[in-house]
């Protein structure tokens, strides 16, 4: 298994300006279950984008709203076996990624 932490940090560096969501940290496997119909990361991501992450009830989801919810949801689904990682350059301000 490759250690992806360095790649995540590089992509999220201020020079690139990319926000990176990774399914797990570099030393974990990304888990899938038949009943989810995909992986834990994707299940939590889809639920968040469909409005679960809209904790302010504004009709939109920003990447900063999604991050904490996504982390908790994946950890719950996998009983702590998978920890998603987010890399965000300090220069990137919050922005919407989904809306009703």
């Amino acid at each position: 298994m490759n250690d992806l932490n360095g790649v995540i940090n590089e992509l999220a560096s201020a020079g690139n300006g990319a926000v990176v969501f990774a399914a797990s940290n570099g030393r974990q496997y990304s888990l899938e279950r038949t009943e989810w119909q995909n992986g834990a990361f994707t299940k939590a991501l889809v639920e968040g984008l469909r409005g679960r992450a809209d904790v302010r009830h504004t009709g939109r989801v920003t990447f900063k709203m999604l991050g904490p919810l996504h982390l908790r949801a994946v950890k719950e689904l996998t009983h702590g076996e998978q920890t998603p990682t987010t890399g965000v350059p300090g220069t990137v301000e919050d922005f919407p990624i989904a809306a009703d």
Side-chain angles (χ1 to χ4, degrees):
M1 178 183 327
N2 293 331
D3 184 357
L4 299 177
N5 292 335
V7 174
I8 292 167
N9 291 335
E10 183 180 339
L11 286 171
S13 71
N16 291 322
V19 175
V20 179
F21 287 94
S24 59
N25 73 39
R27 293 180 176 83
Q28 296 175 329
Y29 290 103
S30 298
L31 304 175
E32 296 184 9
R33 300 280 186 268
T34 304
E35 63 267 21
W36 300 335
Q37 299 179 350
N38 48 44
F41 178 85
T42 302
K43 178 176 174 47
L45 181 67
V46 169
E47 288 175 358
L49 292 173
R50 286 186 175 158
R52 186 171 173 202
D54 183 11
V55 295
R56 295 185 216 140
H57 307 289
T58 61
R60 62 187 197 144
V61 174
T62 69
F63 84 86
K64 287 187 178 180
M65 289 175 175
L66 187 61
L69 170 102
H70 199 232
L71 175 66
R72 276 191 315 276
V74 172
K75 282 185 164 184
E76 288 172 9
L77 285 167
T78 64
H79 305 288
E81 292 183 44
Q82 182 177 332
T83 307
T85 304
T86 305
V88 182
T91 57
V92 175
E93 294 187 25
D94 199 13
F95 57 88
I97 56 175
D100 287 339

